[in-house]
Amino acid sequence: MANHKWVVHEEVENAQDEPYQVGDKVVLEANHMPGMQGATATIDSAEDTTVYMVTYTDTETDDTVENHKWLTEEELGEEEQDSSQFWRARTVEEVQADVSQYDTLEELQNYEVVGGDTLWAISQSTNFSVDDLTEAFNIKNADLIFANYTLENQPSLEDSYENQIISESKKTRDMDNMGDMKHDESGEITEGLEGAENPMYEVGESVILKHGHMPGMEGAEATVSGVFATTAYEVSFNPTNGGEREENHRWVIHEEISESTKGAFEPGEEVTLEANHMEGMEGATAIIDDAVTTNVYMVDYQPTDGGAVVRNHKWFVEEELAQ
């Protein structure tokens, strides 16, 4: 077999301490294929590199090939991701390459936001704070900006629902015990909610959803869009719009309960919900089923059932996420 790739140094019989040179004769100990072990071979090429053993699916036969030896780094590439289906926060370096030409706020108003941009990254890439940007461009929510609009012409949340955000209820979200409720994707954060210190997963980090509060959620790939320190509650309630009773809904956080000034609640207590994650929740009387003091995460995710990307889903706790 001419120019077989690859046999590694340790697979040569009585391998010497120094690498072999092109043209050297060696005896093979490798048994990658029938007739190889014990064969006399001539070194055609030699490279000092990292080699990989891989398992893959044959594109012609669909058979799984396990522990194939060997591939070098130059023979591997990263799987391409469909950016239109999954949101990823852009790095400061990526944003800076696009905004470096804008020296003043007046010039920056013409910057067209790219998918994955955040005000924080734009701030880090310029001389302007997040507060400077929100004030100059009348942005109501510093955690929410929209691609394909300039900073000066960012849409209102109401417009964003119509023009950019496809809610779960519009994409066949027939959920157990949820009727036709619509999840709120605005990303609005309750006043007084504090950001988490040293969370397990940072904003912009990719995670896997381990639990399925809704169909298409368990096992889905997600990106953290917010992380906060609070007490999270599992609650049961009757929706105010007459929908079916919600049992053991996860999660409502302490700041989303009207009596939150009274301190942490215990299982069995009755409370009034201020959360508006879905229709019929805000104003509902609920019973606390469980309570945990933890970090809670807001995420964007691509449902495993092929539905549209869900933005700013509230909430997950750390135990429900994985890398």
Side-chain angles (χ1 to χ4, degrees):
M1 178 175 288
N3 304 112
H4 174 82
K5 294 183 178 180
W6 301 90
V7 173
V8 299
H9 188 76
E10 291 76 9
E11 294 175 325
V12 174
E13 186 175 283
N14 300 319
Q16 63 186 30
D17 293 337
E18 297 297 322
Y20 294 100
Q21 303 299 313
V22 173
D24 285 351
K25 298 286 187 181
V26 297
V27 177
L28 304 180
E29 289 187 344
N31 60 352
H32 304 174
M33 57 182 64
M36 175 178 281
Q37 191 170 20
T40 299
T42 301
I43 303 295
D44 297 314
S45 176
E47 297 182 19
D48 184 11
T49 185
T50 300
V51 294
Y52 296 82
M53 182 168 62
V54 300
T55 296
Y56 67 95
T57 301
D58 190 301
T59 58
E60 295 182 356
T61 66
D62 286 332
D63 293 334
T64 298
V65 180
E66 296 185 349
N67 302 320
H68 175 82
K69 301 173 181 177
W70 302 100
L71 292 174
T72 65
E73 289 182 341
E74 292 75 14
E75 295 173 318
L76 302 176
E78 292 188 3
E79 184 178 6
E80 293 185 2
Q81 299 294 323
D82 184 353
S83 60
S84 68
Q85 293 295 314
F86 191 65
W87 186 89
R88 176 186 68 85
R90 295 215 300 164
T91 65
V92 172
E93 290 74 19
E94 290 173 323
V95 176
Q96 194 168 38
D98 291 336
V99 303
S100 59
Q101 59 183 301
Y102 304 105
D103 297 325
T104 66
L105 284 170
E106 185 176 359
E107 294 175 347
L108 193 60
Q109 70 179 346
N110 298 313
Y111 173 64
E112 186 173 292
V113 173
V114 176
D117 278 355
T118 61
L119 277 190
W120 177 84
I122 295 173
S123 171
Q124 293 294 305
S125 305
T126 63
N127 295 321
F128 310 113
S129 68
V130 170
D131 287 342
D132 291 336
L133 298 173
T134 56
E135 182 176 352
F137 305 124
N138 195 30
I139 296 173
K140 302 299 183 183
N141 186 347
D143 296 319
L144 187 66
I145 55 176
F146 298 98
N148 304 318
Y149 293 89
T150 64
L151 285 174
E152 177 67 14
N153 295 309
Q154 283 291 297
S156 66
L157 289 177
E158 291 77 10
D159 289 340
S160 72
Y161 287 137
E162 297 178 5
N163 298 331
Q164 285 195 259
I165 297 178
I166 303 177
S167 71
E168 290 179 295
S169 64
K170 295 178 183 176
K171 282 291 183 178
T172 62
R173 287 292 181 266
D174 295 326
M175 303 170 224
D176 292 340
N177 299 321
M178 286 192 178
D180 60 353
M181 293 184 179
K182 181 180 70 175
H183 186 272
D184 170 38
E185 297 183 333
S186 68
E188 290 187 90
I189 302 304
T190 306
E191 186 176 354
L193 186 59
E194 299 290 338
E197 294 184 6
N198 302 315
M200 184 178 296
Y201 308 107
E202 302 284 350
V203 172
E205 193 167 350
S206 295
V207 294
I208 300 296
L209 307 182
K210 293 168 58 178
H211 292 270
H213 304 166
M214 303 179 182
M217 181 176 284
E218 186 171 2
E221 296 182 355
T223 298
V224 176
S225 55
V227 54
F228 309 91
T230 186
T231 299
Y233 300 101
E234 183 178 299
V235 299
S236 295
F237 64 95
N238 292 317
T240 59
N241 63 351
E244 293 185 32
R245 181 173 177 79
E246 278 289 305
E247 297 285 352
N248 306 110
H249 174 85
R250 293 185 176 182
W251 299 91
V252 172
I253 61 173
H254 189 75
E255 291 76 8
E256 295 174 329
I257 294 176
S258 62
E259 302 91 347
S260 60
T261 56
K262 296 180 180 180
F265 301 102
E266 299 293 334
E269 290 192 63
E270 187 175 274
V271 297
T272 303
L273 303 180
E274 290 186 344
N276 61 350
H277 306 173
M278 56 184 64
E279 293 177 0
M281 175 178 279
E282 189 171 13
T285 299
I287 300 296
I288 302 293
D289 298 312
D290 194 13
V292 56
T293 300
T294 184
N295 291 332
V296 295
Y297 293 80
M298 184 167 64
V299 303
D300 299 338
Y301 72 95
Q302 171 66 62
T304 58
D305 59 8
V309 172
V310 178
R311 307 289 187 188
N312 300 316
H313 178 84
K314 304 170 182 173
W315 303 97
F316 280 89
V317 298
E318 285 182 345
E319 291 76 12
E320 297 175 320
L321 305 176
Q323 286 188 317

